[in-house]
Amino acid sequence: MQGKYLLRGLAGAALAVGIAPAALAAPKVPAAATTSIAGAPSAYNQPPKEILDVMRAPPPPSPLPSPTRDRLMLVTMDDYPSIAKVAAPFLRLAGVRIEPANHAQHDTPGGYGIPPCVSAIDLVQVADGKQTSVKLPANACPRRPVWSADGQRFVFENITADAVELWVGEAGTGAVRKLPGVRLNQMFGDQMQWMPDQKTLLVKLVSAHKAPPEAPPGSDGPGIQESLGAKGQSSTYENRDTLRNRHDEALFDYYGTSQLALVDVASGKITPVGKPGLYEELDVAPDGRHAVVTEIRPPYSYVTTFDRFPKQVDLWDLKAAGKGASKGGNPVVREIAALPLADRVPNRGVPTGPRGFTWRPTDAATLVWAEALDGGDPNVKTAERDKLMMLKAPFDGAPVEITRTEQRYAGLAWSEKPGVALLNDYDVNRKWRRTWQIDVDQAQASRRLIWDLSSDEQYANPGTPVRRQLANGFSVIRVDGDAIYLAGAGASPDGDRPFLDRFDLNTKQGERLFRSTAASYEQFMGFAGNDTRRLLTWYQSATETPNAFVRTVGARTTAPAGEPAHASTSAALTHLVDPVPQVRQIKKRLVKYKRADGIDLSFTLYTPPGYQEGTRVPTILNAYPLDYADASKAGQTTGSQATFTRLRQYRLLLLSGYAIIDSAAFPIVGDPRKAYDTYTEQLVANARAAVDEAVRLGVTDPNRVGVTGHSHGALMTANLLAHSDLFRAGAATSGSYNKSLTPFGFQNERRSVWEAPDVYTKASTFFYADKLKTPLLIVHGADDANPGTTPLQSTKLYEAIRGNGGTTRLVMLPHEPHWYAARESNEQLVYEMLRWFDKYVKNAAPATPAATATAAP
């Protein structure tokens, strides 16, 4: 019945993109090049054992400090789920991929990958380093835990074959238990959150007790859309897995409907709230009584996804639930907005009507939101784009206007001082951001500009305000007199050096408390307990495994500009060991150079184990083009060579003797409204500068250079092969090669194909396939949900290159989204890249005219 909505397996994935299933089978791996792994599916290939050993080693955990900072949770994620899990059947419903068996989201909200499972949780006491391992349920697939504000408990979702369960853990003992009777509905997110009392959870429960709606073959009826002359661009990135017919609508209603409920964590008691509905966002007030509830309403659209569907936004009284509802069975106090279908929102614009709801964390119940004054259109010339509105309990008066923003409203960051917040606005046309300090109760009189800079600015980036969690669970900016604390990446010409500053809001002057050394990468995680002199940090270097440290800030000293003004000492809190010590033989360094037009560029150069200086080796360049409005910002160095080296995908080829030019700066510089007029010229200039520099250093053999990139980087890869002679081969993964299929904009190009047809044609490798004679490996996830990189993009480029006599290979990875998840798929990817670059780069014969393409062996 539901088969046509489900993923059909290897052969089905092949037929869906118009190629024979046999074409998906990779050639057999020579015995000397691979190791047989028991239980591995015969349809997949694997790279050599030395690469498999690194791929299958456990990853380092990620730290998650408790809100009270007296404990640290170490969360280890499962790097690669099995292909069986990735291939689980799912429905495509208006931008959501939902697994019908358990109501779990099959894909991340952006459509970029399967959410990973947690494989281990360890709790560490900050006071003495005592560590407790959490005993997870057998065969579990937990999601990342969520702390209670008091740091006493944590909760996590556990994905099983037939349910999304809810588990609670005790921080003191590490003991965990399932809350019985709770089956969460992940359809729209917000399925679980702590209430302000930190004893109760507000959840979305699966409400369906009947079988899903069935449609006998042929009974779906036609899918009908109609436009009556109104102009409105639908952004490329909105049209993902949209509804197609009335049966899809029925399935959307069935799987999207939730029952809201309050769950007592101690007793497990479940108290339903209101009636079942298509509830999207839930925002609970600090008083724990009121909540803004956003409910999706018909009519639905077949053009856009659920986030643009009509919405009813109401204010509920959760404590009135069960005591007599005031509106349609729900405890509605007041209607906030009835938002219409927003299927014609301007490119890079916002819908009209109330949006961006936020509660004042230090008030019992005061609601703030934004509304567009320009129709939500960034191309409209106006002095003011948004206004901020405020409504206080008991919610019986008219909303009060707080202030207006000249640029698009980009959020309020509330401080722990009542009413005081940082207001952010953003100009998408100039790529410019500003931050104001305001007191919302006297906004116009109190408003002061704090920061005013390009959103591309890295070196002068002030950092992000350090927050703390109030007892009610709301996160606020920590205030110290007239100062706040700022933590940032610390970009510099020599790479990132994370920092912590104490910043005076009155004088706008900062005092540096901590900065990572140049030889390490140490990030501020939070203050230990409530002592602002003791810092929790996450320390690592190129050769040292990431570990938690407690750093104590001492007396003030004399220090050079940019360095800490206080001495400090540190002590290790955790003692994690290196899971793959063989990787430490790989060396990396920051390399800075210039493009021909003078723009500063940089890349990280990795050399393989045992590399001898002065030896020229085959090299692979990886990059992802980024758009900049200002050339001076395009050349700023980001990233760090002091991070602990981990190998994934193309980096694993280092173990086979390749050097890697990694994260090469590939700026596309110009007015955001027309930067892509010179896109291919800038691509080639970036690539030529990077390759020339690696050759000059004596590392790269200029006759053995390959290039690879993912998504927009895949388009870069294909274009570089078509428009330059720098590379012997390329590997492009999950790319978009014909921009006329994304006609209303791509990346920072906001003109439509009808406004700039030459730009779209020139940026599209598809139209240059007759000139693409350099070997190109094309890889794509057969279930890519990113609208700009539909799998059709890769199949059509393959057909175009093949038809014009080029050398190419198409590998469609069954069941995979935009980012490849399964262990088997990632092993196949590395196998394919190694095979391709070995043949056409490392062991390349002198260049000869391209041979006619043949079917894959």
Side-chain angles (χ1 to χ4, degrees), residues 433-478:
R433 65 185 180 100
R434 297 183 300 182
T435 300
W436 309 78
Q437 181 186 9
I438 66 168
D439 182 333
V440 295
D441 293 317
Q442 44 182 346
Q444 292 306 113
S446 66
R447 185 163 161 172
R448 297 173 56 247
L449 183 63
I450 304 297
W451 296 298
D452 186 12
L453 69 166
S454 166
S455 59
D456 292 328
E457 175 59 56
Q458 300 296 330
Y459 294 169
N461 189 324
T464 302
V466 174
R467 295 171 174 265
R468 73 177 184 91
Q469 225 171 331
L470 299 178
N472 60 20
F474 280 75
S475 177
V476 294
I477 298 172
R478 179 185 285 269

Side-chain angles (χ1 to χ4, degrees), residues 268-517:
K269 179 182 178 182
I270 300 173
T271 304
V273 178
K275 66 175 184 176
L278 294 171
Y279 300 115
E280 184 188 7
E281 297 180 4
L282 307 175
D283 296 288
V284 181
D287 65 0
R289 174 170 186 165
H290 296 95
V292 174
V293 179
T294 302
E295 185 177 3
I296 298 170
R297 298 283 178 87
Y300 305 141
S301 169
Y302 294 179
V303 173
T304 189
T305 50
F306 77 88
D307 53 320
R308 296 291 175 88
F309 285 1
K311 309 284 177 67
Q312 180 66 34
V313 184
D314 288 325
L315 190 63
W316 284 23
D317 183 346
L318 300 179
K319 292 188 177 179
K323 299 180 181 178
S326 60
K327 184 179 178 182
N330 288 332
V332 177
V333 174
R334 175 173 177 153
E335 177 185 285
I336 301 297
L339 303 175
L341 177 66
D343 62 346
R344 295 181 183 272
V345 176
N347 200 346
R348 288 175 171 75
V350 297
T352 56
R355 71 177 200 281
F357 297 99
T358 176
W359 292 100
R360 284 177 58 167
T362 53
D363 279 11
T366 299
L367 186 64
V368 176
W369 68 84
E371 295 182 29
L373 297 168
D374 60 356
D377 190 345
N379 297 312
V380 170
K381 293 184 178 180
T382 179
E384 297 170 325
R385 294 212 174 271
D386 282 320
K387 63 179 179 180
L388 261 63
M389 307 298 294
M390 182 167 66
L391 183 64
K392 293 188 175 187
F395 312 112
D396 52 3
V400 175
E401 183 176 318
I402 300 172
T403 190
R404 298 189 173 197
T405 62
E406 294 79 9
Q407 302 181 149
R408 181 69 65 212
Y409 169 71
L412 274 176
W414 297 98
S415 80
E416 59 184 326
K417 187 176 295 185
V420 177
L422 296 181
L423 167 66
N424 300 287
D425 65 7
Y426 178 69
D427 185 342
V428 70
N429 291 319
R430 292 194 304 141
K431 300 187 76 172
W432 204 263
R433 65 185 180 100
R434 297 183 300 182
T435 300
W436 309 78
Q437 181 186 9
I438 66 168
D439 182 333
V440 295
D441 293 317
Q442 44 182 346
Q444 292 306 113
S446 66
R447 185 163 161 172
R448 297 173 56 247
L449 183 63
I450 304 297
W451 296 298
D452 186 12
L453 69 166
S454 166
S455 59
D456 292 328
E457 175 59 56
Q458 300 296 330
Y459 294 169
N461 189 324
T464 302
V466 174
R467 295 171 174 265
R468 73 177 184 91
Q469 225 171 331
L470 299 178
N472 60 20
F474 280 75
S475 177
V476 294
I477 298 172
R478 179 185 285 269
V479 176
D480 183 0
D482 293 324
I484 61 175
Y485 294 92
L486 300 172
S492 76
D494 297 319
D496 289 354
R497 293 179 58 190
F499 67 87
L500 175 69
D501 286 354
R502 184 180 184 276
F503 183 81
D504 191 303
L505 290 168
N506 288 335
T507 65
K508 302 181 187 179
Q509 297 297 311
E511 178 185 18
R512 182 134 299 175
L513 302 178
F514 162 75
R515 188 185 188 193
S516 177
T517 66

Side-chain angles (χ1 to χ4, degrees), residues 124-145:
V124 182
Q125 292 185 175
V126 172
D128 56 13
K130 181 182 177 182
Q131 187 164 317
T132 303
S133 294
V134 174
K135 188 175 181 180
L136 296 173
N139 302 314
C141 180
R143 293 291 186 250
R144 186 176 292 274

Side-chain angles (χ1 to χ4, degrees), residues 565-581:
H566 295 259
S568 64
T569 58
S570 65
L573 181 62
T574 62
H575 304 277
L576 304 172
V577 297
D578 189 348
V580 282

Side-chain angles (χ1 to χ4, degrees), residues 73-153:
M73 184 182 290
L74 299 178
V75 181
T76 304
M77 310 301 293
D78 189 2
D79 258 354
Y80 304 114
S82 70
I83 190 63
K85 179 171 180 57
V86 174
F90 64 85
L91 301 173
R92 311 164 191 266
L93 299 175
V96 181
R97 292 185 165 188
I98 198 78
E99 295 183 7
N102 55 15
H103 283 70
Q105 280 198 10
H106 183 77
D107 205 347
T108 56
Y112 296 116
I114 309 301
C117 300
V118 171
S119 59
I121 300 175
D122 294 287
L123 297 167
V124 182
Q125 292 185 175
V126 172
D128 56 13
K130 181 182 177 182
Q131 187 164 317
T132 303
S133 294
V134 174
K135 188 175 181 180
L136 296 173
N139 302 314
C141 180
R143 293 291 186 250
R144 186 176 292 274
V146 179
W147 283 105
S148 61
D150 58 13
Q152 297 301 305
R153 294 188 177 99

